[in-house]
Amino acid sequence: ETVTIDHLDETYGPFDDAAVWLDIEGYELAALRGAKDFLGRKAPLLLNVEMLSRVPGMMTEVPKLLAGYKAVLDWNASETCRDRIFVRE
């Protein structure tokens, strides 16, 4: 069973001024797709997203999904992945 971030926010939230850490082995993009309302209302102050170059579309789609956020730091970098921190603009 899959539960989206939007569903969690609607059921147990609202989660305003949240910090979100997504390190879910290639499913980060799917998680962000399931958080459109949550992200659209700019609920998170900060997101840490593991960026995997092997996941098709991740490097281009994550910034689009995070419109209104800016990347401020890449860390834990290797040839195939890195963690990227985004903050609300």
Side-chain angles (χ1 to χ4, degrees):
E1 183 176 333
T2 300
V3 178
T4 66
I5 293 172
D6 279 343
H7 176 76
L8 292 172
D9 185 52
E10 182 180 309
T11 304
Y12 301 106
F15 302 124
D16 293 318
D17 296 335
V20 177
W21 190 288
L22 295 177
D23 184 350
I24 47 180
E25 304 311 314
Y27 293 94
E28 293 81 5
L29 191 51
L32 291 172
R33 287 177 182 148
K36 286 185 181 181
D37 294 338
F38 180 67
L39 295 171
R41 65 183 179 80
K42 306 290 184 280
L45 286 172
L46 175 143
L47 297 104
N48 183 92
V49 181
E50 184 180 39
M51 305 288 289
L52 300 162
S53 58
R54 65 180 162 81
V55 176
M58 178 172 273
M59 298 305 201
T60 57
E61 195 170 339
V62 166
K64 290 177 186 175
L65 290 169
L66 294 178
Y69 290 85
K70 64 180 177 178
V72 295
L73 180 67
D74 281 359
W75 67 283
N76 197 28
S78 71
E79 289 182 24
T80 59
C81 71
R82 68 191 65 250
D83 282 271
R84 183 166 290 161
I85 295 178
F86 296 85
V87 296
R88 190 166 52 194
E89 292 185 298

